[in-house]
């Protein structure tokens, strides 16, 4: 983050920091990806998915692709939440059509993780940010990110995604000491990673807690709130007032406690969170981000436009960043994204 840049010159950063705007700035979760033919072309050229993440020229190119097509207010670094386990030395592969595959972590395996290796291993990611920053118009916000420790741990322990991430939930309950050690490693790695992202040019970072759902209140406090709070605090000891967007997907009734304890500047809302409920439950000056159902974008047409307008009207009383309630899906027609951006910008 460059403290000399006024947020007014970057509308999306301004909204994160609490400035309400007539029409909300917009970015789209997973905006660089397979729904774009130009992404698929680069992806093919790159070899493996991790090769793409670690080749700064290509990663910078795909980071910028969506901004060439659409009037978006932010670029988000092209990388993945699972570069942290890769940097820690765990085996991580991305299988086409199958998603990520990791060698499942055991209590004994914890000792082999290499936290000291993380920032060095991820040097190409910082170079990607530097390249993007150099090419990005001054009114565009550059978003960095990491996966929150619990979400990353669910993949490290389970070895892959699953509908309920039960393997990690059972591990956390049966191996509390090993689990706490793993979370500590991830908190420290994430702080170092995010601080380096700010130093490389990120204006704001998002903490992706994609698996905040399915946790009881005690587990939510221990697995989600506490590690996210430690990351926000840890980053801000080195980057004072670092702007952070928290996205605890599915946190539902636990959102107010998350906001209060973590100190995030803005809160990403998934699409199951009713606008009225969010307005009543959250501090009135808090900036919110969201929350269109990605399948409404895929389906397109009048229902998409009406729902987008309803969300904008619903959040008119507070700072709002328009976004989806989760990542865009690969089957989404490009024309629907074009139309959504037009609608959010107030175009007819
Ligand atoms: O444009 C952007 O948003 C930046 C890049 C980005 C990717 N992944 C690229 C990616 C970001 C921010 C992520 C975050 C991410 N990765 C999350 C959190 C957000 C969410 O959707 O919940 C999670 C859980 C992951 C882990 C992950 N990576 C999964 C489960 C998968 C497979 C499913 C899928 O979407 O394909 C990935 C692979 C991945 N990460 C792809 C992309 C573009 C597709 C792989 C490919 O192109 O071959």
């Amino acid at each position: 983050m460059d403290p000399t840049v006024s947020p007014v010159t970057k509308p999306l950063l301004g909204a994160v920091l609490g400035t309400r705007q007539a029409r909300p700035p917009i970015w789209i979760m997973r905006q660089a990806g397979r729904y774009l033919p130009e992404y698929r072309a680069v992806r093919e050229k790159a070899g493996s998915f991790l090769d793409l993440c670690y080749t700064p020229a290509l990663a910078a190119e795909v980071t910028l692709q969506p901004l060439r097509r659409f009037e978006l207010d932010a670029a988000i670094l092209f990388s993945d939440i699972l570069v942290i386990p890769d940097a820690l030395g765990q085996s991580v592969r991305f299988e086409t059509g199958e998603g990520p595959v990791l060698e499942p972590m055991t209590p004994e395996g914890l000792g082999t993780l290499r936290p000291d290796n993380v920032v060095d291993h991820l040097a190409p990611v910082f170079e990607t940010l530097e390249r993007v920053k150099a090419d990005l118009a001054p009114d565009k916000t550059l978003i960095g990110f990491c996966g929150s420790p619990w979400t990353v741990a669910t993949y490290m322990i389970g070895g892959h995604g699953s509908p309920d991430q039960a393997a990690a939930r059972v591990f956390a309950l049966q191996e509390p000491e090993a689990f706490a050690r793993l979370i500590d490693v991830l908190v420290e790695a994430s702080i170092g990673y995010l601080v380096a992202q700010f130093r490389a040019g990120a204006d704001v970072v998002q903490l992706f807690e994609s698996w905040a759902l399915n946790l009881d209140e005690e587990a939510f406090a221990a697995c989600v709130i506490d590690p996210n709070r430690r990351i926000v605090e840890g980053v801000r000891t080195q980057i004072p007032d670092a702007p952070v967007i928290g996205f605890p997907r599915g946190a539902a009734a636990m959102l107010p406690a998350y906001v209060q304890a973590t100190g995030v500047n803005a809160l990403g809302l998934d699409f199951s969170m009713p606008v009225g409920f969010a307005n009543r439950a959250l501090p009135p000056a808090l900036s919110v981000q969201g929350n269109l159902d990605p399948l409404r974008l895929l389906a397109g047409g009048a229902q998409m436009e009406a729902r987008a307008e309803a969300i904008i009207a619903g959040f008119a009383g507070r700072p709002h960043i328009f976004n989806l309630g989760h990542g865009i899906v690969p089957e989404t027609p490009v024309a629907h994204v074009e139309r959504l951006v037009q609608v959010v910008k107030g175009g007819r």
Side-chain angles (χ1 to χ4, degrees), residues 235-266:
V235 169
R236 288 186 184 152
T237 60
Q238 296 179 69
I239 311 281
D241 303 321
V244 180
I245 305 168
F247 177 52
R249 181 172 73 99
M254 291 181 271
L255 283 173
Y258 173 92
V259 168
Q260 208 259 328
T262 59
V264 294
N265 301 82

Side-chain angles (χ1 to χ4, degrees), residues 27-32 59 62-64 66-67 74-79 129 132 141-145 206 208:
W27 70 282
I28 293 174
M29 266 193 268
R30 309 287 291 268
Q31 65 190 24
V62 296
T63 299
L64 289 164
L67 283 90
I76 177 162
L77 164 70
F78 188 85
S79 179
L129 283 165
V132 171
T141 298
L142 180 52
I143 303 172
F145 72 93
Q206 173 153 315
F208 280 96

Side-chain angles (χ1 to χ4, degrees), residues 30-32 34 39 43 49 77 79-80 155 208 210 326:
R30 309 287 291 268
Q31 65 190 24
R34 285 165 297 179
Y39 168 81
R43 171 78 179 79
F49 175 73
L77 164 70
S79 179
D80 196 82
Y155 289 97
F208 280 96
S210 304
H326 197 201

Side-chain angles (χ1 to χ4, degrees), residues 127-340:
E127 188 186 330
T128 300
L129 283 165
E130 284 162 8
R131 283 173 180 251
V132 171
K133 188 79 171 193
D135 277 1
L136 203 60
D139 61 330
K140 308 289 182 188
T141 298
L142 180 52
I143 303 172
F145 72 93
C146 73
S148 290
W150 163 248
T151 291
V152 174
T154 64
Y155 289 97
M156 292 179 78
I157 294 165
H160 49 77
S162 78
D164 56 7
Q165 302 293 57
R169 286 159 57 204
V170 171
F171 184 103
L173 298 170
Q174 288 185 331
E175 304 281 354
E177 278 158 31
F179 179 73
R181 254 195 302 144
L182 176 57
I183 293 291
D184 287 348
V185 166
L186 290 171
V187 166
E188 285 315 309
S190 304
I191 292 170
Y193 184 41
L194 293 178
V195 165
Q197 290 188 34
F198 277 113
R199 294 198 170 129
D203 298 305
V204 45
V205 296
Q206 173 153 315
L207 302 177
F208 280 96
E209 190 73 281
S210 304
W211 288 100
L213 61 172
N214 288 330
L215 295 171
D216 66 35
E217 59 191 297
E218 198 179 322
F220 187 86
C223 300
V224 174
I225 291 183
D226 192 58
N228 282 280
R229 177 188 60 75
R230 287 163 62 196
I231 291 176
V232 174
E233 283 179 12
V235 169
R236 288 186 184 152
T237 60
Q238 296 179 69
I239 311 281
D241 303 321
V244 180
I245 305 168
F247 177 52
R249 181 172 73 99
M254 291 181 271
L255 283 173
Y258 173 92
V259 168
Q260 208 259 328
T262 59
V264 294
N265 301 82
L267 182 67
L269 300 174
D270 63 78
F271 56 86
S272 66
M273 173 53 52
V275 170
F277 182 90
N279 280 331
R280 285 190 298 278
L282 299 169
L286 181 78
S287 178
V288 298
Q289 172 178 284
N291 68 340
L292 188 73
D293 179 352
L295 295 189
R296 286 191 179 269
L297 176 58
L298 182 150
Q303 59 76 28
M304 172 188 85
E305 298 186 21
R307 185 67 205 151
E309 289 293 5
I311 291 168
I312 292 169
F315 289 131
R318 61 166 73 242
H320 176 215
I321 299 149
F322 197 93
N323 206 318
L324 304 179
H326 197 201
I328 186 169
V329 298
E331 297 77 16
T332 305
V334 168
H336 295 185
V337 180
E338 243 159 52
R339 183 64 192 143
L340 176 66

